[in-house]
């Protein structure tokens, strides 16, 4: 029997934070054993986590973006795999908030309100798309939606970076139809034609299910077209990046907390130390102080980016979304620098004992480095500078090759 979904946000938050506590208990060990947190992801869904951004009239809690990202930071502190597992789900709920097709909007909102989880399968392995050329879209795809003579549509193709799909009930996947139009379609994650391959070999974020998904004649679900109009995609480029910023912020919090524990448990110091007690060693204490400064940097910039995107939604114009993207990009540069520095500097607080595998302290750098490699940050300072010097507002990557108001498929 499916557990009853909580009826109020307050009740949901109690249950959600209880699951966060369970996630935190085993996060370090799971990193070493490569155990996926399937049951705990399901517990989060049953606690109402997936309904956070769904509007109240459609069975959700209607939280604003700063609240959502603050909760994702809490999730990232418990286990940094969790915000990434849920990134595709929350992207879907963002699309539903602005979906123009009323039947699709109501259908999928009801499905999510009942506790269903969405996964993501957009990107494809480079070996699949090698040799394809596109002057408009940097991510060509070979996955196809075919329509038979009876009007039934099926999807076939191979996806990689299919984050969260192993944990999901439904997958929103990118595909091209018979007429060459690109769009998103929804399929069941549990259909017999869906093969989840556990081959994600990244140095971090090991339990996000970000491996290969093979789709073989998988039926498109009823009302399975989502995000066909660009209006439903506005702000998503900033949104998906802020999810990573929330996750990085959670990692920074874990770095501080675990380093404090290391210092308190330390029984010896260096012969050059000014104190024989680590908890009284000025140099060690300064390391912890610097870590806290990096944490505060991440938390402050996360909140600022979240508020900028919330303001863009209220304004509803392209200039506001461009400004939010610049704000998010600026935060991305600084948060990545802060958290990677913290995850490295933490080792200075404990000497050689901190590199022992049983402490699992290295997972924070590996996870932060993996998250920092998404949406390459090397391009963002130029984007920011171009805006400040020349007034050039970046346009959404979700609009690639399309004009506002055109069919996004």
């Amino acid at each position: 029997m499916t557990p009853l979904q909580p009826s109020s946000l307050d009740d949901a938050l109690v249950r959600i934070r209880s699951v966060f506590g369970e996630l935190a208990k085993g996060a370090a060990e799971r990193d070493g054993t490569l155990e996926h947190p399937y049951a705990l992801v399901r517990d989060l869904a049953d606690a109402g986590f997936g309904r956070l951004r769904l509007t109240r009239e459609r069975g959700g809690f209607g939280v604003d973006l700063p609240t959502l990202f603050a909760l994702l930071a809490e999730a990232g502190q418990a286990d940094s795999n969790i915000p990434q597992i849920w990134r595709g789900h929350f992207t879907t709920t963002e699309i539903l908030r602005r979906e123009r097709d009323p039947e699709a909007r109501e259908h999928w909102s009801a499905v999510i309100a009942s506790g269903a989880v969405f996964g993501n399968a957009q990107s494809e392995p480079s070996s699949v798309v090698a040799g394809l050329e596109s002057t408009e879209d940097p991510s060509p795809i070979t996955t196809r939606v075919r329509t038979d003579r009876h009007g039934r549509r099926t999807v076939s193709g191979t996806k990689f970076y299919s984050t969260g799909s192993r944990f999901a009930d439904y997958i929103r996947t990118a595909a091209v139809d018979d007429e060459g139009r690109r769009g998103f379609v929804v399929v069941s994650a549990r259909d017999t034609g869906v093969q989840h391959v556990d081959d994600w070999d990244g140095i971090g974020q090991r339990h996000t299910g970000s491996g290969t998904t093979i789709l073989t004649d998988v039926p498109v679900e009823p009302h399975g077209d989502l995000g066909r109009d660009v209006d439903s995609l506005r702000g998503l480029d900033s949104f998906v990046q802020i999810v990573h910023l929330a996750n990085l912020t959670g990692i920074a919090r874990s770095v501080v907390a675990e380093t404090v524990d290391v210092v308190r448990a330390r029984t010896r110091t260096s012969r050059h130390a000014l104190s024989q007690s680590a908890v009284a060693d000025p140099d060690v204490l300064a390391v912890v102080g610097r870590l806290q400064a990096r944490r505060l940097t991440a938390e402050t910039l996360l909140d600022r980016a979240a508020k900028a995107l919330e303001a863009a939604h209220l304004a509803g114009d392209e200039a506001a979304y461009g400004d939010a993207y610049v704000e998010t990009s600026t935060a991305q540069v600084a948060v990545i620098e802060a958290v990677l520095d913290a995850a490295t500097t933490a080792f200075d607080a404990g000497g050689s004992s901190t590199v022992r595998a049983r402490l699992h302290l290295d997972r924070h750098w590996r996870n932060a480095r993996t998250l920092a490699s998404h949406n390459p940050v090397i391009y963002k300072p130029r984007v920011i500078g171009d805006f400040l010097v020349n007034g050039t507002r970046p346009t959404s990557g979700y609009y690639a090759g399309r004009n506002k108001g055109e069919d996004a498929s």
Side-chain angles (χ1 to χ4, degrees), residues 326-375:
V326 171
E327 196 84 350
T328 300
S329 297
T330 307
Q332 179 186 359
V333 173
V335 169
I336 286 174
E337 290 177 351
V339 179
L340 285 177
D341 178 76
T344 300
T345 302
F347 291 93
D348 292 335
S352 58
S353 61
T354 58
V355 302
R356 298 187 66 179
R358 63 181 176 81
L359 286 184
H360 305 284
L361 201 60
D362 64 300
R363 80 185 193 281
H364 296 309
W365 183 90
R366 289 187 287 101
N367 291 335
R369 179 65 267 175
T370 302
L371 288 166
S373 299
H374 291 70
N375 310 324

Side-chain angles (χ1 to χ4, degrees), residues 105-128:
R105 184 176 62 242
E106 297 304 323
H107 173 79
W108 291 114
S109 294
V111 169
I112 291 174
S114 71
V117 178
F118 268 76
N120 168 71
Q122 295 186 51
S123 301
E124 299 188 356
S126 57
S127 59
V128 172

Side-chain angles (χ1 to χ4, degrees), residues 60-124:
F61 300 119
V63 304
D64 61 16
L65 288 175
T67 300
L68 173 69
F69 291 124
L71 286 166
L72 285 173
E74 288 187 41
Q77 180 177 3
D79 182 338
S80 71
N81 294 280
I82 296 303
Q84 201 167 354
I85 287 171
W86 284 85
R87 187 171 177 242
H89 177 92
F90 286 118
T91 302
T92 301
T93 58
E94 288 301 296
I95 291 172
L96 284 174
R97 289 176 68 96
R98 282 169 288 281
E99 174 59 52
R100 286 189 173 185
D101 181 345
E103 292 185 358
R105 184 176 62 242
E106 297 304 323
H107 173 79
W108 291 114
S109 294
V111 169
I112 291 174
S114 71
V117 178
F118 268 76
N120 168 71
Q122 295 186 51
S123 301
E124 299 188 356

Side-chain angles (χ1 to χ4, degrees), residues 71-390:
L71 286 166
L72 285 173
E74 288 187 41
Q77 180 177 3
D79 182 338
S80 71
N81 294 280
I82 296 303
Q84 201 167 354
I85 287 171
W86 284 85
R87 187 171 177 242
H89 177 92
F90 286 118
T91 302
T92 301
T93 58
E94 288 301 296
I95 291 172
L96 284 174
R97 289 176 68 96
R98 282 169 288 281
E99 174 59 52
R100 286 189 173 185
D101 181 345
E103 292 185 358
R105 184 176 62 242
E106 297 304 323
H107 173 79
W108 291 114
S109 294
V111 169
I112 291 174
S114 71
V117 178
F118 268 76
N120 168 71
Q122 295 186 51
S123 301
E124 299 188 356
S126 57
S127 59
V128 172
V129 300
L132 293 180
E133 295 182 359
S134 174
T135 58
E136 297 179 338
D137 191 340
S139 303
I141 56 177
T142 63
T143 300
R144 291 290 184 267
V145 177
R146 304 294 187 192
T147 305
D148 67 17
R149 61 190 180 88
H150 301 291
R152 292 175 298 209
R153 297 192 300 160
T154 59
V155 184
S156 295
T158 300
K159 297 293 187 179
F160 197 59
Y161 302 116
S162 39
T163 304
S165 291
R166 296 180 64 84
F167 305 86
D169 301 295
Y170 297 95
I171 298 171
R172 185 175 56 86
T173 187
V176 175
D177 66 15
D178 293 327
E179 299 178 11
R181 298 176 302 176
R182 177 173 177 166
F184 299 118
V185 293
V186 178
V187 299
S188 169
R190 303 303 160 201
D191 187 87
T192 56
V194 179
Q195 181 183 358
H196 301 278
V197 184
D198 194 11
D199 59 350
W200 169 240
D201 59 353
I203 61 170
Q205 299 300 100
R206 292 173 170 176
H207 310 125
T208 57
S210 299
T212 300
T213 300
I214 302 171
L215 308 171
T216 306
D217 297 326
V218 183
V220 175
E221 289 288 307
H223 309 294
D225 294 296
L226 289 180
R228 294 181 66 87
D229 189 277
V230 295
D231 284 341
S232 65
L233 306 178
R234 295 209 294 177
L236 280 189
D237 45 2
S238 295
F239 180 88
V240 295
Q241 183 57 61
I242 302 174
V243 174
H244 286 325
L245 299 185
N247 210 354
L248 287 162
T249 298
I251 290 173
R253 291 174 178 172
S254 290
V255 168
V256 173
E258 292 181 25
T259 304
V260 167
D261 288 342
V262 165
V263 172
R264 287 174 175 168
R266 192 175 175 188
T267 58
R268 61 181 182 139
T269 60
S270 168
R271 65 188 178 91
H272 298 295
L274 298 176
S275 171
Q276 292 306 301
S277 169
V279 298
D281 187 327
D283 295 310
V284 172
L285 296 177
V287 169
V288 176
R290 284 194 290 274
L291 299 184
Q292 177 68 356
R294 303 296 184 263
R295 167 187 170 164
L296 183 60
T297 296
E299 290 178 339
T300 302
L301 291 175
L302 169 64
D303 184 63
R304 178 164 175 150
K307 288 177 177 176
L309 183 54
E310 184 78 7
H313 283 322
L314 292 174
D317 59 69
E318 289 303 322
Y321 284 112
D323 292 345
Y325 187 83
V326 171
E327 196 84 350
T328 300
S329 297
T330 307
Q332 179 186 359
V333 173
V335 169
I336 286 174
E337 290 177 351
V339 179
L340 285 177
D341 178 76
T344 300
T345 302
F347 291 93
D348 292 335
S352 58
S353 61
T354 58
V355 302
R356 298 187 66 179
R358 63 181 176 81
L359 286 184
H360 305 284
L361 201 60
D362 64 300
R363 80 185 193 281
H364 296 309
W365 183 90
R366 289 187 287 101
N367 291 335
R369 179 65 267 175
T370 302
L371 288 166
S373 299
H374 291 70
N375 310 324
V377 72
I378 65 166
Y379 303 111
K380 300 307 174 69
R382 172 176 51 79
V383 170
I384 299 163
D386 195 16
F387 173 75
L388 293 176
V389 174
N390 301 310

